Amino acid sequence: MDLFANAFPMLAKGLGVTVLLGVVSFVLGSALGALIALARISSIRVLRAVAIGYVSVFRGTPLLIQIMVIYFGLPQLGVQLEPIPSAILALTLFSAAYLSENFRGGILGVDKGQWEAASSIGMPYWRTFRRIVFPQAIRIATPAVGSRFIALMKDTSLASVVTVVELTRVAESVGNASFRYMEAFLLAGLAYWLINTLLSLGQSVLEKRMGRAY
């Protein structure tokens, strides 16, 4: 308990950075992922090819490598980013690749009869998508998107390799100072578990409400 009491201020600050990384990256990744999903189902071949290539690259390479390329590699091209922006950029690009597939699956999961019914009454394509298809696609994709958010919150721990002082980095510092690595990392693990448990509960509530709404 003495270790927890002494390390609590540092752990709380590291937890705040972890939540910041996860939430900002998820919001930005969702926006980018939605655009990529639309590109994947587009009738324009170039857009489809770019989207497929993007997903292939970012799903096919480790997030750790992507973080290092952005933080250590971009300066060689004249682009210098601080640790937190570097981590957010990497997490955003990485999560967007997975979220785009979740959104694409949701869109394709909507009954084609919805499109046909809207077309029969003269509703334009984009209005059909915005008012009819997209809301249903979000409902279908919610479980997968929620799981991706939980996974992303755990992936933020990799930001510690580029000196971002988030939860894992703080636990390492506490362990180095006290030589009580077991307790330090168990405390960090407990914090991650609590965050993701709350997210899981929130996801369950959201799914039930969306289910009742439809």
Side-chain angles (χ1 to χ4, degrees), residues 15 18 30 48 53 59-60 63-67 69 77 83 94 102 118 127 141 145 151-152 156 178 212:
L15 179 61
T18 291
S30 295
R48 288 204 310 272
R59 291 182 67 181
L63 174 57
L64 182 59
I65 296 296
Q66 296 171 26
I67 293 174
V69 166
L77 302 177
F94 179 77
N102 298 149
R127 184 179 297 176
V145 170
L152 179 63
T156 59
S178 64
R212 288 198 297 267

Side-chain angles (χ1 to χ4, degrees), residues 3 20 38 50 52-53 57 59-60 68 72 84 93 104 108 121 133 139 144 146 153 162 165 169 184 194 199 206:
L3 178 66
L20 173 69
L38 292 176
V50 171
I52 291 171
V57 169
R59 291 182 67 181
M68 289 185 168
F72 295 108
I84 289 180
L93 296 175
R104 186 172 72 94
L108 295 178
I121 62 173
V133 175
R139 179 179 60 86
M153 196 62 72
V162 292
V165 186
R169 185 81 173 188
L194 289 174
L199 290 177
L206 180 61

Side-chain angles (χ1 to χ4, degrees), residues 1-2 10 32 46 55 60 113 153 155 175 182 203:
M1 292 300 294
D2 60 320
M10 293 177 61
L32 179 57
V46 174
V55 172
M153 196 62 72
D155 288 340
M182 175 68 78
Q203 178 184 348

Side-chain angles (χ1 to χ4, degrees), residues 7-189:
F8 180 78
M10 293 177 61
L11 288 170
K13 185 177 180 180
L15 179 61
V17 174
T18 291
V19 172
L20 173 69
L21 292 175
V23 171
V24 174
S25 300
F26 177 75
V27 171
L28 296 178
S30 295
L32 179 57
L35 293 176
I36 295 170
L38 292 176
R40 284 291 304 270
I41 64 174
S42 171
S43 59
I44 303 174
R45 291 185 179 181
V46 174
L47 284 180
R48 288 204 310 272
V50 171
I52 291 171
Y54 179 96
V55 172
S56 176
V57 169
F58 283 94
R59 291 182 67 181
T61 56
L63 174 57
L64 182 59
I65 296 296
Q66 296 171 26
I67 293 174
M68 289 185 168
V69 166
I70 289 173
Y71 185 71
F72 295 108
L74 287 183
Q76 298 180 13
L77 302 177
V79 180
Q80 184 75 47
L81 295 176
E82 294 298 318
I84 289 180
S86 296
I88 289 176
L89 177 58
L91 290 166
T92 296
L93 296 175
F94 179 77
S95 62
Y98 285 89
L99 288 167
S100 69
E101 292 299 278
N102 298 149
F103 291 138
R104 186 172 72 94
I107 294 170
L108 295 178
V110 176
D111 190 341
K112 291 183 179 179
Q114 301 284 335
W115 291 97
E116 295 170 357
S119 177
S120 67
I121 62 173
M123 185 176 289
Y125 178 87
W126 284 110
R127 184 179 297 176
T128 301
F129 178 80
R130 186 177 73 253
R131 294 187 177 182
I132 298 175
V133 175
F134 186 69
Q136 296 181 66
I138 291 298
R139 179 179 60 86
I140 294 171
T142 292
V145 170
S147 297
R148 172 45 46 189
F149 188 19
I150 293 171
L152 179 63
M153 196 62 72
K154 293 183 289 186
D155 288 340
T156 59
S157 62
L158 294 175
S160 62
V161 301
V162 292
T163 71
V164 175
V165 186
E166 45 66 69
L167 196 54
T168 300
R169 185 81 173 188
V170 169
E172 182 181 0
S173 298
V174 171
N176 290 336
S178 64
F179 296 102
R180 294 167 65 178
Y181 292 98
M182 175 68 78
E183 295 98 321
F185 284 110
L186 283 177
L187 285 173

